[in-house]
Each structure stands twice: as structure tokens, then as C-alpha cells.
Amino acid sequence: MTKGRIRARVRRSNLYTFSCLRPNVQESAQSGSLPQGPGFSRIVQCNQPILHRKRPFRYPYNHISTTKYNVITYLPKALFEQFRRAANIYFLLAAILSLTPISPFSAVSMIAPLSIVVGLTMAKEAIEDWNRFIQDRKVNRRKVSVHNEGGVFSYKAWQDIRVGDVVKVEKDQFFPADLLLLSSSYEDGICYVETMNLDGETNLKVKRALEVTLPLDDDSTFKHFSGIIKCEDPNPSLYTFVGNLEYESQMHPLDPSQILLRDSKLRNTPYVYGVVIFTGHDTKVMQNSTLCPSKRSTVERKMDHIIYILFSVLILISVISSLGFAVKTTYATPDQWYLLPLDSRNKLYNPTRPMLSGLFHLVTALILYGYLIPISLYVSLEFVKFLQANFINRDIYLYDEESGTCAEARTSNLNEELGMVDTILSDKTGTLTCNQMDFLKCSIAGTAYGTRRNEVEIAAANQMAMDLEDQNSDASSFHRMENSNRSADTSEIELETVITTKDGKDYNTAIKGFSFEDNRLMNGSWLHEPNLEQIVLFFRILSVCHTAIPELNEDSGAVTFEAESPDEGAFLVAAREFGFEFCKRTQSSVIVHERYPSYGQPIEREYKILNLLDFTSKRKRMSVIVRDEDGQILLLCKGADSIIFDRLAKDGTVYLDATTRHLNEYGDAGLRTLTLAYKKIEESEYNAWNDEFQKAKSSIGGNREAMLERVSDMMEKDLILVGATAVEDKLQDGVPQCIDKLAQAGLKIWVLTGDKMETAINIGFSCSLLRQGMKQICISTMNVEAGSQDSKKAVKQNILMQISNACQLVKLEKDPNAASALIIDGKALAYVLEEDLKHQFLKLAVDCASVICCRVSPKQKALVTRLVKEGTGKTTLAIGDGANDVGMIQAADIGVGISGAEGTQAVMASDFSIAQFRFLERLLLVHGHWCYKRIAQMICYFFYKNITFGLTLFYFEAFAGFSGQSVYDDWYSLSFNVILTSLPVISLGVFEQDVSSDFPALYQQGPKNLFFDWRRIFGWMSNGLYSSLIIFFLNIIIFYDQAYRAGGQTADMAVVGTVMFTSIIWTVNIQIALTMSHFTWIQHVLVFGSIITWYFFLFLYGSLPPTISGYAHQLLVECLAPSPIYWATTLLVTVACTFPYLAHISFQRSFHPLDHHIIQEIKYYKKDVEDEFMWSRERSKARQRTKIGFTARVEATMRQLRARLQKKQSNVAFQSPTFRP
């Protein structure tokens, strides 16, 4: 080892043919020009960061922020957020008007409630944003080694890095900014980068430094380093880069293979050196992010419209009141001398200017009737949402034991929105999958190996068996007995994870990357299999055809593999378990230890590497040409079946039919497949081909890659098929179950991934978004002919034609069980997101059962999310775990971040965070459903009680000649919302629940907005209007001229107001008790305790001196409590007010029950225990008919099995001879 450089290791650029080509200096000079003008003006002085702090550069620091506010913007932005609410604007105006002498209430009584409401809400926003700031600070304070001066490196925080700094990034660290790779720990400047945070891909990318910067291989070499980078300006394109490096008086062109992007991770490389090009919000990952939006729930936005309606009602009755007052001033005031109507200074009661008096009274009325607008609603909502969020945070069922992570409601503003989601847009890698590949099955020489059963096969077989039992049983008792022995019932398919072997023994995976089980191959049993030569060749291809490098863990002695992709690592683990262990790689050879049961020690075999034709997304295959110990030259190849099958020799297709059948089965099961083949090469043939290959490899010019591809094709033909592999892209625990429940709840699921189309399709099968028989509509630009690819118009026309044909296909489908899946790649998506195509695309996507978008950039994820949100007008939820998901998380109505291993960017930008995708089911179907229903009922009830209370003020003013006099004591009015009715409504919003999550179809009550539609809102308003009329007129009629005390005294205004207020308290509290479905001791205490509190309040308030209590002094003790008419009136009014609602819900539950009414009744009468068959039937009904998800996939498999069974029975019946006597 010299200068810290690893020289004993492989010169890795020799392993790559296509991805690690370096142009020489002459070619660099020819192609090093940079476009001039806007977009290409960035200049970076390498190793001189101080220059970029001055003009004309002034590049930003590396500090990032995802918060909504800062010290300067907090006050104006937070105030703007608060006064976006219509009610707050009204109360601000009322507070201002309360400073005038025409206000019926004191200024303090109007300003204090508004200040408390706004202040508490702003404080909550500040706390939530402070939490975001803390997480931002953790990222900004990460440390990285930065060059100071004189070849000395020291650790600095990320936020202190400047453009031009030279940084040293070590293995498994994230890159702190966008860097130009100068050199690595390997002598040829190769490094491996994981870009999962950017594009979601799990395979490692190979990056390479310019050859001219390779000598910068140690800290001391940067002492006098300098250079100038001229490149493109900051932009969001992750896959392009244009620039050049001026170094040692020569110009060297730069391309994306030399750029290390922020938030990608250095893997399998001890360290790299790089110079900072873009920092902070100029980096490409931040360019793909969007500003943190201010989100408001659908319910809250609709609540504003209700406020507008009530405000209109308020203005209407205020105008009526002011007109009435003006008429009274004109005709009645001259006779009322005590009002001083002739005093010129009296403007309120001036009969000569009635319009002015009416205008003043309008202001008085607007303030007096202000109780129609419930200002306390916002405080109560904030408090309820805070408690709901606390329940989410403390839910033990949302706790992940493996990581020790709880769910977190990062904002409580959107709790109810969780119950209204229509479409889920999900990332794949790290969200649905756990970034682990497991070798599961294989096909060798036409024989399928691997007996682990797929979950779909297990569930379908169990269901078929139960159906057959049901058909063959003469009595239902046997059927029910069988149901009782099973945890699942016949009408419901439950997903089980069962792993069995052929001999019936359970098998649990103990080796990472290897879930294979088959006694025919394990423990050397493959020696007794037919086609032994093909089996050995299969294992050798797995252990030799790769670019991985083994790493020995000195502590444990275990060997791990540094592979470019998880698939390759899984192949090597599988080969090792079969007895073919790849143990060493040199510059020109691969060494494999082959273990045979008959030998005590493994046999070491060395394969000389002659050429390696590496994998690219275009080639879809990789090959290695080796010379074995016998001198035989072999080409070993693995790749996509569509590519390999086209290159088979005539005598190489012996196992083609059987292998094709196995591949189809593996694909239907959602497994990732590769085909293995080989070819023996004569020495002369190889020498002739190698001469051509070396010429192409060393050629200079733009057609070098095409020449290499042509020469490679010459060798990669006439192959002999050996077999195929099937690996499982390991889903996170519970993903299929979760998707199945979400689909049964009627939710649509889109997958947006940076992976290639084949990978995304495999995952679609794994998580049951795709299934057998589903029509796959693939839209891409690859179908365009070569001659028209350069024309944007032709490409768009072709894509439009694909969309139109697909729409027609979906429209003409008559089979009710048929389903279509839309799959589109990133290039085509760039066109369909344009204004003239996006609506056609969205129409097609909405008609499809599932949608998968492949190769999408973070920006495209955000654009797709925005298109779905705005185009459908329904609530969207985006879920992801990496920085590449931040855009769509912020663009969606609700953003959910998964707190996985890919950093915290997604969590910081999210509204809710969970540890794994499976927790989304409970977050939506339980917390979301309950929060929506609670908030909706709470708001409707709030408007009901305020209308009930507020309109009685209007009735009394009209009854009292529009005098502006309130019938209630001021303290009654102030305590109505704050003390006497606040706690029951909070208990409704926090504890109310209808049924459990076993009934996913009930979730559709949220997206359909059944509990907060205009019909229900106006119904509650009408109920409030009816109650106010009953309360006022019944009390007036009873107490108008009726003696209420034994001494014959009639009621005055204080008595009538107190009796009316008592009736209101009883009515609204009994009403909320009738509304609740779920009672605990808490609800009983709060509801009936509020009624009792009113009497305590009236007693204590009346016990105060008359100077404080006024007309309420000893009112309860001396006047009302001894009077039977007081108690009788309260009972009569309460019954009259609540009877219509009681009759309505009784009629509804008896004749037109909702789904949850039926389930509640079954639960109440314990029919779920007494009659399991009925309970199972009802549970089955409480599911949306769906075409995706595990249940739909099992049903499709069952239909196929039944069809095969019927066909087989028909054939048997047809072939059986007819017997005649």
C-alpha cells in the first residue's frame, strides 16, 4: 500500500467494457468545448473556496432547510395562515369594532378569545416547525473531511462546506454536496455509489475519475492543487451533466460518470476525493425538491364555506335587525323621551336620521349575533387533533420492534384527511421492498427446483379445498366444524406466510440472500440428479459470471461479496450454499472452491478471465469469457430471457420449452428471473474475435460503443441454454396484506419508481398489484421507429396513439373479472405530463386497476402526484423513504415518510412518518377513518349548537323591539363555549368510534364524504334552527304571563333568559349523547358532568354580590329551584328538541341502515359469537370488490384452477366408454 492507495487490489476498470471508457487527451481537447450563454455560466475555482464568497460568484452555503418558517418569516406567514380562516377574519373585525361605543360587549371579551385562539394555534405551528428544524440541523451538522491548507484535512460540518472545497468521503458515508470525483482508494479511480435516495435503484453505480486527476491520491497531493471547472448551472436533471475541467493547461470534458450527487452513498470503496461543484439548494437533489407547502384538509376548506354561509346568515339577520331598529327609531322613539331622541349629540336614537341609527345598530347586531360563528371551534379542533395525533404516536400497533421506531404525526392539521384518501402513490425501493434479494427457485436442464410454495398458491389451494369440502358435505355442521378449526373462514381469504419443503418440514430462512429449499440440490444431493453435467455448469456460471469481489471479515471470518447489484450477491450466496464458493479474484482470474461430498477438502479451480462484457440496461445481459484449467475457452452468459433466447444455437434449445414454462410461473409469482447459457469457443475463433474486440475497445470516436456492441453480438450467439434463476425482491413484512386491505377499502394504488420496467413489473406481481390474466398496457418511446425518434412531434403522436388504443381496449372489455394495468416509463412520462397529453393519460390511468411508472425522476414523481391530485380532485397520499420521494410527498395532500435506512429527508418533509409500509393500513383504515368521522361529526355538532344558541338572541331582539339587548347574562354567553359545552364535543372528537378495522369497505365513507356532505351539514343546521325555535317560543309561551312562583310572580328577563339557557344546555348535551356510538366512563362524566356544571355555575355565580352577579343574584336558590315549572319546562323543551333526531336515527337504523349500523347491532346482540356464519358473511360484504391485491389474485388463480378442473373432468367424461346393457 502506497500513499494510502490500495494497489494490491484489482484494477477495476479492467472489469468493465462499456461503463468505464476514458477518452484520451486528444479526444478530450476536441470535445471539451462547452455551450455558451445562459444555463452554462458556472465557474468553480478548485481548492479555492474563499473566491466563491465574493462577487461575481456568491454561491450559497451548503446549509439546507425544509421548514415552513424562519425567524423573519414566522410572524407574517403564521398570521397569514391563521387569517386564511374566514372565522378568524370576522372575529378580527369584531374585535376592532368592540373598541367603539356601539359594541354590546366589552373590548376585552372580544379581543381575548381571538388572541388565545390565534396564539395557541401559532404556538402549535411553531412547535411542529421547530421539530423540522431540529432534524434539518442534524443533517447540516454531519461531519466530513475537508481540505484546509497545506495538504491538511480536518472535519467540518456539512453546512460549512463551500463551492471549490476538496472533500474526502469515506466508505458508507453520504456525499455532502454535488462533487466532481478526482480519485479514489483504487488506483484506477473507480468507486461504487448507491443512488437509492435519488432514483430508488438498489444496484450500485460505477463512477470513474478522469485519468489526469488520478495522481491526486493522498492528502498531501492537494497542497498545490488548483483547476477551473466550467459547467452547467444548477438544474434538477439527475442523469445529465455538461462541463469541463481545465487542469495543467489542458481541457478535459466531464460527464455524469464523474459526478457524485448529494445524498447518494459511497459503497465498497474505502474513500474518494472530490471537489464541490454545487452546494445546498443548488444541488440536484434539492433542485428536485419543492417548497414546503401549507396544506389544509378537505374538511377544513369545506368548513370555510360553511362559515361563509353562516356569515351570510349573520349579515342577513343583522340587516333585518338594523332595518327594524331604523323603523322603530322613526316611529316609536319620539314617544320614548327617556332615550333623549331630540338631543343633537344622540346619534343612536335620532328619529330625524333613522338610516344613520340603523347603520350603527348594524354594527351592534353583527357583534351581538357573533355566536353564530364559533370561534372556539378552531381551538377545540386544534386540541382534538393534538390528542388524535398523540394517539397515533402512542399506538402500540404502529410500533416497529426491530427498529424501535414509533409512528409520528408530524403535523396534526391533516388527521381527518387520512380518512378521505382516494389514491396512494408509493415509492418502491425501501418502501415496498427491503432492498434484499433472496435466491428462491431455479430451473436447470428443464427441471424445476425449489419447493418453497408461494403465498398465492397456498391460499388458493386452501380455498379450493374448503370449497370442495363445502360442496361434498351433506351437513353444514361439518363445514362449520372445519371453519372452527381454521383461523380463517370460508368467505374470507387470509394471507399466511407458510414455507414448506417437499417432505413437509417447515423451513425458516437463516441465510441472508438464500431462501431456497429442495433436498434434491442441497447438501451435495445434486450429485445423484440426472443431467449432472448441466447442474455443475449452472453452478459454475453463478460463481464465475459476475464482477463482484469477495471481502473477508477479519473479526468473524465470514466472506461477503461486494457486488454491483443485490441479484449478483444472491447468486454468489446461492452458489456457495450449493458448494461452489467464489473466494478470490485477481487481476486476470477468478478462483472458486468446489465442494463435493466424496472429497474431504474443497477443490480449488482457477478460471482465467479473458474478456468481460458487462451488463447495461440496453444490453440486458452480461458475459464473461474464461479459460478453464483444461485450456477450454468458455463464454458464460446470463441475461433476460427475451435476449438470451434469440441468441441460442439450434442444438441449444433442448430445454427451451420447459425453461419457458418455468420462467412464466416464476414471473407470475413475482420473482425476478435471469436465463443462463454458455458456449464453447475454439482457440482460433477466439483469437480472431479478440483482435476485433481490442480494436473496437481502443477506437476513438463517437461510434466506439456501437462498435463494441456489434463485436460483442458476434460472440454472444449460438449459445446453449442451461437454465434460469428466480430471486425474490424481498418485500417488507406485511406489504401484500396491507395492499390487499387497502384495495378492499377501495383505494387506488400507483407505484412510482426509478427502477427499470422489468424490475417494477416483478414487484407488481410480488405485492399483487399485477396478477395472472391482467392486461399489461405498456407505454414507452421504444416503439417509435428509429427514423422518427429525433422528432418530438412524432414521438408525441406515437404515445398519443398508444394511449388512444389502450383507452379503446379498456372501454371494449366486457369481462367483469378482467383488469388492466398501466405501465409507463420515464421517457414517455416526460411527454404525457405535457399540457396536451396529460388529461388523456390520466383518463386512461383512472380506468386501469393499477398504475406503475418506471424510471421516473424525483421531479416527475412530484408532477405525477400533482396531476392526480388536481386532475381527479380527490385526496392523494404519497409515501416514500428517500430524498427522491420528497417532491411527491410535498405535492400530495398527505405525505407519509418511512423512517428507514435511507436517511431522514422523506421523514422531514412528511406529514406523518411510520417505520414500515404495513403500518399504513392501520394509519388509514383505523386512525384515518375514525379521525375523519370524529372531526366531521364534531364540526357538524359545533355548528348545530351555535346556531341553536345564536338564533335565540335574534328572536329575542326581534321580540324586544330590536333593542340590541341580549336575553342572557354576559357570563352565560362567555361560559357557553368555553366551559359548559366544550368538553363533551372534545370527547366526541377524541373517543368516538364505530367499528374495528375488520371492515375495510367502511373506509369509503371518507372518500365519499358521507359524514360531511352538504346534505348532512344542512341537516344539522336545520336541526339547530328547529331547536332554537322550540327553545325560544316554548319558553316565551310558558313564561309570558304565567306565574312561576308560589307568590304569583311572573318571570322577568333574567328568569326567562336563565330558563332558556338551561334548556339549551340540556338539549345540546343530550343531542351529543344521542350522536355518540361508543361510550366509556369518560363520555358519561363529560356529557352529564357538563349539565351538572351549569347548575354549579349558576349557584356559585348567584352567590356572588349583586354588584357582580347582577340580576342572577340568588336566582337559582330563591327563584328557579323551588319552582316546578322550571324543571317541567326544561324537560319538555329538551324532549321536544331531541325527539325528531331520535325518530330519524331510529327509522334509519330500522329501515335504511348504513353498514356500520348493521355491524354495531350484530356486535351489541353478540351475534358475532352466536352465529359465526352470519358474522363471516357480513365481514365478507364489508369489502370493496377489487381487481388488485392478494385476494383478487387468489380469486383469479382459483378461477384458473376451476377451469382446468372442469376441462379435465370434461375430457374424462368424453373419453369414458358408454356402457349399454
Side-chain angles (χ1 to χ4, degrees):
M1 187 172 297
T2 306
K3 297 183 180 181
R5 178 69 67 108
I6 300 177
R7 297 189 184 277
R9 298 292 300 276
V10 181
R11 186 176 177 87
R12 297 195 174 195
S13 59
N14 289 348
L15 298 180
Y16 303 96
T17 299
F18 296 94
S19 59
C20 288
L21 300 172
R22 283 199 187 90
N24 61 15
V25 175
Q26 293 177 355
E27 184 183 358
S28 299
Q30 294 172 1
S31 60
S33 59
L34 188 70
Q36 301 298 316
F40 300 94
S41 61
R42 195 173 188 88
I43 299 175
V44 178
Q45 302 286 343
C46 300
N47 210 18
Q48 300 181 68
I50 193 171
L51 296 179
H52 304 112
R53 302 180 187 179
K54 306 174 183 178
R55 294 182 178 179
F57 303 116
R58 300 297 293 269
Y59 297 141
Y61 279 91
N62 202 37
H63 175 274
I64 63 157
S65 174
T66 61
T67 58
K68 294 169 63 175
Y69 312 108
N70 58 39
V71 175
I72 298 175
T73 63
Y74 169 69
L75 192 59
K77 286 186 69 174
L79 286 173
F80 172 75
E81 287 294 321
Q82 295 310 307
F83 289 103
R84 287 171 66 183
R85 295 170 169 173
N88 285 350
I89 295 177
Y90 163 74
F91 283 106
L92 176 64
L93 296 175
I96 295 172
L97 292 174
S98 68
L99 299 173
T100 64
I102 58 176
S103 172
F105 304 116
S106 65
V108 174
S109 65
M110 297 300 295
I111 296 174
L114 178 65
S115 301
I116 293 172
V117 169
V118 173
L120 289 176
T121 309
M122 289 176 62
K124 183 186 76 72
E125 288 281 317
I127 292 172
E128 291 177 349
D129 211 51
W130 176 259
N131 293 332
R132 297 189 188 97
F133 169 75
I134 294 298
Q135 291 179 323
D136 285 344
R137 189 169 63 177
K138 290 180 181 179
V139 174
N140 290 324
R141 290 187 176 182
R142 288 176 179 172
K143 300 293 184 181
V144 69
S145 184
V146 182
H147 180 241
N148 294 326
E149 290 180 353
V152 178
F153 281 72
S154 62
Y155 283 96
K156 286 185 179 181
W158 279 22
Q159 62 187 8
D160 297 328
I161 294 174
R162 297 304 301 257
V163 172
D165 271 327
V166 175
V167 299
K168 181 181 181 180
V169 181
E170 298 175 350
K171 182 179 178 180
D172 292 331
Q173 288 184 345
F174 289 100
F175 297 114
D178 290 351
L179 312 176
L180 168 65
L181 175 61
L182 298 176
S183 62
S184 77
S185 53
Y186 299 114
E187 63 176 5
D188 47 3
I190 295 294
C191 73
Y192 290 105
V193 175
E194 181 186 273
T195 59
M196 190 188 309
N197 256 349
L198 303 179
D199 54 20
E201 293 193 18
T202 55
N203 58 303
L204 303 183
K205 309 296 191 302
V206 180
K207 298 291 184 177
R208 58 176 177 81
L210 292 173
E211 193 162 358
V212 70
T213 60
L214 292 183
L216 301 169
D217 58 358
D218 191 68
D219 292 359
S220 59
T221 59
F222 290 94
K223 183 176 182 179
H224 303 293
F225 167 67
S226 65
I228 299 176
I229 299 173
K230 298 180 180 179
C231 65
E232 63 187 19
D233 292 333
N235 64 80
S237 177
L238 296 174
Y239 308 109
T240 62
F241 183 83
V242 179
N244 54 45
L245 170 65
E246 185 179 340
Y247 182 60
E248 294 181 346
S249 303
Q250 289 186 335
M251 196 72 70
H252 306 275
L254 304 175
D255 59 53
S257 64
Q258 285 104 35
I259 304 302
L260 308 173
L261 299 182
R262 179 186 174 118
D263 284 332
S264 52
K265 183 187 288 187
L266 182 64
R267 299 292 300 272
N268 300 343
T269 310
Y271 61 85
V272 297
Y273 291 101
V275 62
V276 177
I277 301 176
F278 299 118
T279 53
H281 290 272
D282 283 351
T283 58
K284 289 184 179 287
V285 66
M286 296 305 295
Q287 288 282 309
N288 273 277
S289 66
T290 55
L291 294 176
C292 187
S294 297
K295 298 181 180 180
R296 301 182 71 207
S297 69
T298 304
V299 169
E300 188 174 342
R301 291 195 298 268
K302 193 167 188 176
M303 192 170 69
D304 280 350
H305 291 92
I306 303 174
I307 296 292
Y308 298 148
I309 293 173
L310 292 181
F311 189 70
S312 301
V313 173
L314 171 63
I315 292 176
L316 175 63
I317 62 177
S318 297
V319 169
I320 293 173
S321 179
S322 64
L323 290 175
F325 183 78
V327 172
K328 177 189 173 184
T329 301
T330 303
Y331 298 103
T333 301
D335 298 329
Q336 298 171 341
W337 56 268
Y338 51 86
L339 295 178
L340 304 177
L342 302 179
D343 191 339
S344 60
R345 294 172 297 178
N346 186 2
K347 298 180 180 179
L348 297 180
Y349 304 99
N350 191 341
T352 61
R353 305 182 67 181
M355 296 305 296
L356 180 61
S357 298
L359 184 61
F360 283 130
H361 187 80
L362 177 63
V363 177
T364 302
L366 287 172
I367 299 175
L368 178 64
Y369 306 145
Y371 286 98
L372 282 174
I373 313 295
I375 187 173
S376 60
L377 170 60
Y378 290 109
V379 176
S380 300
L381 273 178
E382 296 293 345
F383 187 66
V384 164
K385 289 182 177 182
F386 171 77
L387 293 178
Q388 290 176 348
N390 199 41
F391 284 163
I392 293 174
N393 297 343
R394 295 175 179 269
D395 189 346
I396 191 64
Y397 296 106
L398 295 179
Y399 174 73
D400 183 45
E401 293 185 0
E402 184 177 348
S403 62
T405 307
C406 301
E408 181 185 4
R410 292 171 48 80
T411 176
S412 58
N413 294 338
L414 303 173
N415 293 350
E416 68 274 21
E417 200 81 344
L418 289 172
M420 304 183 70
V421 176
D422 177 78
T423 304
I424 297 174
L425 300 104
S426 173
D427 176 42
K428 182 191 77 68
T429 306
T431 303
L432 299 177
T433 64
C434 54
N435 310 327
Q436 177 186 333
M437 301 295 174
D438 278 4
F439 189 93
L440 196 65
K441 296 185 179 184
C442 62
S443 171
I444 308 175
T447 303
Y449 295 96
T451 57
R452 178 179 174 181
R453 300 175 67 192
N454 182 271
E455 289 91 347
V456 175
E457 298 168 341
I458 295 169
N462 290 342
Q463 182 71 11
M464 287 285 289
M466 287 188 287
D467 288 349
L468 289 174
E469 287 175 5
D470 189 27
Q471 293 172 6
N472 297 331
S473 177
D474 295 328
S476 61
S477 59
F478 174 75
H479 176 64
R480 294 185 181 180
M481 179 182 68
E482 289 295 309
N483 281 342
S484 65
N485 292 334
R486 295 183 176 91
S487 59
D489 49 273
T490 57
S491 62
E492 179 181 3
I493 300 172
E494 296 290 348
L495 179 58
E496 306 171 26
T497 303
V498 181
I499 305 174
T500 60
T501 64
K502 194 173 182 179
D503 55 8
K505 296 180 181 180
D506 288 343
Y507 176 77
N508 294 320
T509 303
I511 302 169
K512 185 177 180 180
F514 188 72
S515 297
F516 181 87
E517 174 64 15
D518 195 325
N519 290 335
R520 293 175 294 172
L521 294 186
M522 295 301 296
N523 301 319
S525 299
W526 50 267
L527 282 169
H528 308 294
E529 286 291 299
N531 300 311
L532 178 60
E533 182 180 351
Q534 299 296 322
I535 293 175
V536 172
L537 188 55
F538 181 90
F539 294 155
R540 286 176 176 169
I541 293 175
L542 291 182
S543 60
V544 175
C545 185
H546 56 80
T547 59
I549 293 177
E551 286 283 355
L552 177 64
N553 189 318
E554 297 179 357
D555 296 330
S556 63
V559 175
T560 58
F561 304 106
E562 294 185 2
E564 281 192 50
S565 68
D567 307 64
E568 205 165 72
F571 293 151
L572 291 172
V573 172
R576 181 185 65 196
E577 296 303 312
F578 291 133
F580 291 72
E581 182 178 9
F582 164 59
C583 58
K584 186 178 180 181
R585 181 188 290 277
T586 67
Q587 193 68 50
S588 59
S589 64
V590 167
I591 297 175
V592 178
H593 286 170
E594 299 182 0
R595 292 182 174 85
Y596 298 89
S598 56
Y599 295 3
Q601 297 294 327
I603 300 174
E604 183 176 289
R605 298 192 187 278
E606 182 177 2
Y607 297 88
K608 298 291 184 182
I609 304 295
L610 303 180
N611 303 91
L612 190 143
L613 311 178
D614 52 305
F615 181 92
T616 65
S617 58
K618 182 179 180 181
R619 283 168 42 79
K620 296 184 180 179
R621 65 189 184 279
M622 77 160 290
S623 301
V624 58
I625 302 175
V626 300
R627 190 190 300 272
D628 65 15
E629 294 177 335
D630 298 328
Q632 176 65 57
I633 300 177
L634 298 170
L635 180 140
L636 309 179
C637 182
K638 62 183 180 184
D641 56 290
S642 59
I643 301 297
I644 301 298
F645 288 170
D646 291 340
R647 287 166 169 74
L648 295 178
K650 291 183 178 180
D651 59 347
T653 59
V654 177
Y655 314 115
L656 179 60
D657 292 340
T659 304
T660 302
R661 185 173 65 254
H662 297 155
L663 285 169
N664 290 335
E665 293 173 358
Y666 299 155
D668 290 340
L671 304 178
R672 298 173 62 152
T673 59
L674 280 180
T675 307
L676 276 57
Y678 80 103
K679 172 184 177 181
K680 292 182 178 180
I681 307 173
E682 296 295 331
E683 188 76 31
S684 58
E685 178 188 359
Y686 171 74
N687 290 333
W689 174 85
N690 192 45
D691 290 340
E692 292 292 326
F693 182 75
Q694 295 302 327
K695 289 180 183 178
K697 192 173 182 179
S698 58
S699 64
I700 298 174
N703 63 343
R704 174 168 44 190
E705 188 171 342
M707 293 174 62
L708 282 168
E709 180 64 32
R710 180 182 59 81
V711 176
S712 299
D713 277 340
M714 292 169 55
M715 179 57 70
E716 293 172 319
K717 63 182 182 179
D718 298 328
L719 305 177
I720 298 174
L721 181 64
V722 178
T725 61
V727 297
E728 181 182 20
D729 192 352
K730 200 72 175 176
L731 293 174
Q732 290 187 9
D733 291 340
V735 166
Q737 298 99 315
C738 178
I739 289 179
D740 192 45
K741 278 290 183 69
L742 295 175
Q744 291 175 8
L747 293 167
K748 305 175 185 66
I749 302 173
W750 293 34
V751 174
L752 311 179
T753 176
D755 276 348
K756 56 186 179 182
M757 186 174 290
E758 294 84 354
T759 304
I761 290 174
N762 287 332
I763 289 299
F765 276 104
S766 297
C767 59
S768 299
L769 290 174
L770 303 177
R771 59 176 171 80
Q772 291 176 328
M774 181 178 278
K775 295 178 182 177
Q776 297 181 15
I777 301 171
C778 297
I779 297 179
S780 67
T781 58
M782 297 179 64
N783 297 332
V784 184
E785 297 180 1
S788 59
Q789 283 184 351
D790 296 333
S791 170
K792 182 178 178 180
K793 184 176 180 180
V795 174
K796 290 180 67 174
Q797 192 65 30
N798 178 270
I799 292 174
L800 178 60
M801 183 177 66
Q802 293 181 58
I803 294 176
S804 301
N805 293 340
C807 288
Q808 193 69 14
L809 180 68
V810 173
K811 184 178 180 181
L812 295 176
E813 182 58 62
K814 303 298 183 182
D815 185 359
N817 296 316
S820 300
L822 176 61
I823 304 164
I824 184 170
D825 65 15
K827 292 182 179 178
L829 199 60
Y831 288 98
V832 302
L833 288 175
E834 294 181 5
E835 193 65 33
D836 52 345
L837 285 182
K838 64 181 183 181
H839 296 295
Q840 293 95 318
F841 164 72
L842 182 62
K843 182 178 182 300
L844 172 62
V846 169
D847 291 337
C848 291
S850 59
V851 181
I852 299 176
C853 301
C854 319
R855 288 291 186 187
V856 292
S857 67
K859 199 79 169 182
Q860 286 178 322
K861 287 186 177 184
L863 292 174
V864 170
T865 304
R866 192 173 293 115
L867 172 63
V868 177
K869 180 175 73 172
E870 296 175 355
T872 63
K874 297 179 180 179
T875 303
T876 58
L877 179 147
I879 179 170
D881 70 319
N884 61 319
D885 305 316
V886 169
M888 72 171 183
I889 285 175
Q890 293 182 338
D893 294 297
I894 306 171
V896 177
I898 292 184
S899 50
E902 282 70 56
T904 59
Q905 290 88 344
V907 171
M908 288 191 296
S910 67
D911 305 302
F912 300 87
S913 69
I914 53 179
Q916 293 203 16
F917 183 87
R918 61 189 167 93
F919 295 128
L920 188 63
E921 175 195 339
R922 183 168 178 84
L923 185 66
L924 296 184
L925 303 192
V926 178
H927 290 286
H929 173 65
W930 285 348
C931 287
Y932 161 73
K933 192 170 182 181
R934 291 164 177 170
I935 295 295
Q937 289 182 321
M938 175 184 172
I939 294 173
C940 288
Y941 172 77
F942 232 108
F943 286 121
Y944 154 80
K945 74 182 183 68
N946 276 64
I947 289 174
T948 300
F949 176 66
L951 287 182
T952 57
L953 291 168
F954 171 68
Y955 303 150
F956 182 79
E957 200 204 15
F959 185 77
F962 300 104
S963 62
Q965 175 65 48
S966 173
V967 68
Y968 307 119
D969 187 282
D970 286 354
W971 282 99
Y972 295 178
S973 302
L974 291 175
S975 63
F976 177 73
N977 284 318
V978 177
I979 300 174
L980 301 176
T981 61
S982 60
L983 294 181
V985 74
I986 289 175
S987 71
L988 175 69
V990 174
F991 299 109
E992 174 67 2
Q993 54 183 267
D994 45 13
V995 295
S996 66
S997 62
D998 293 333
F999 309 94
L1002 295 185
Y1003 182 82
Q1004 280 299 304
Q1005 293 175 341
K1008 293 177 181 178
N1009 207 9
L1010 295 183
F1011 289 95
F1012 205 61
D1013 58 357
W1014 286 112
R1015 178 173 169 270
R1016 188 172 292 266
I1017 292 168
F1018 284 123
W1020 277 98
M1021 288 183 173
S1022 301
N1023 191 17
L1025 174 64
Y1026 166 80
S1027 297
S1028 66
L1029 290 169
I1030 294 296
I1031 290 170
F1032 179 79
F1033 286 105
L1034 269 182
N1035 278 285
I1036 290 297
I1037 291 171
I1038 292 173
F1039 286 95
Y1040 184 73
D1041 52 8
Q1042 174 71 38
Y1044 75 100
R1045 298 179 67 180
Q1049 294 93 335
T1050 57
D1052 59 4
M1053 188 180 72
V1055 171
V1056 172
T1058 304
V1059 176
M1060 287 173 57
F1061 198 82
T1062 303
S1063 301
I1064 291 174
I1065 296 299
W1066 270 94
T1067 298
V1068 298
N1069 280 287
I1070 295 300
Q1071 177 66 60
I1072 200 171
L1074 293 173
T1075 304
M1076 292 178 178
S1077 301
H1078 178 73
F1079 267 94
T1080 65
W1081 64 268
I1082 299 176
Q1083 283 96 320
H1084 285 290
V1085 169
L1086 295 182
V1087 172
F1088 297 104
S1090 295
I1091 297 174
I1092 297 172
T1093 301
W1094 157 243
Y1095 290 107
F1096 274 110
F1097 170 83
L1098 189 57
F1099 171 77
L1100 295 175
Y1101 182 56
S1103 301
L1104 296 176
T1107 55
I1108 299 176
S1109 58
Y1111 294 109
H1113 182 67
Q1114 297 296 332
L1115 187 63
L1116 177 65
V1117 176
E1118 296 181 0
C1119 299
L1120 298 180
S1123 173
I1125 196 172
Y1126 169 68
W1127 303 103
T1129 302
T1130 302
L1131 177 62
L1132 175 64
V1133 172
T1134 303
V1135 171
C1137 289
T1138 56
F1139 179 76
Y1141 181 81
L1142 181 62
H1144 164 70
I1145 60 174
S1146 300
F1147 178 82
Q1148 185 184 46
R1149 284 179 177 268
S1150 300
F1151 299 101
H1152 301 287
L1154 298 176
D1155 291 337
H1156 67 279
H1157 291 155
I1158 298 173
I1159 297 167
Q1160 287 172 346
E1161 188 169 343
I1162 292 174
K1163 284 276 191 181
Y1164 180 79
Y1165 290 108
K1166 301 187 184 308
K1167 293 294 184 182
D1168 55 324
V1169 178
E1170 298 173 3
D1171 192 342
E1172 293 184 11
F1173 182 76
M1174 181 191 70
W1175 180 240
S1176 300
R1177 184 186 68 237
E1178 294 302 326
R1179 289 181 69 186
S1180 181
K1181 288 180 180 178
R1183 284 173 166 77
Q1184 286 283 320
R1185 181 77 175 174
T1186 178
K1187 296 181 179 180
I1188 63 170
F1190 184 80
T1191 302
R1193 193 172 169 195
V1194 171
E1195 290 174 351
T1197 304
M1198 288 170 55
R1199 285 194 295 271
Q1200 292 182 350
L1201 292 175
R1202 288 195 184 100
R1204 292 177 189 173
L1205 184 61
Q1206 291 175 358
K1207 184 177 180 181
K1208 186 175 181 180
Q1209 291 174 343
S1210 300
N1211 291 337
V1212 171
F1214 178 77
Q1215 293 174 5
S1216 61
T1218 304
F1219 181 78
R1220 296 181 180 178

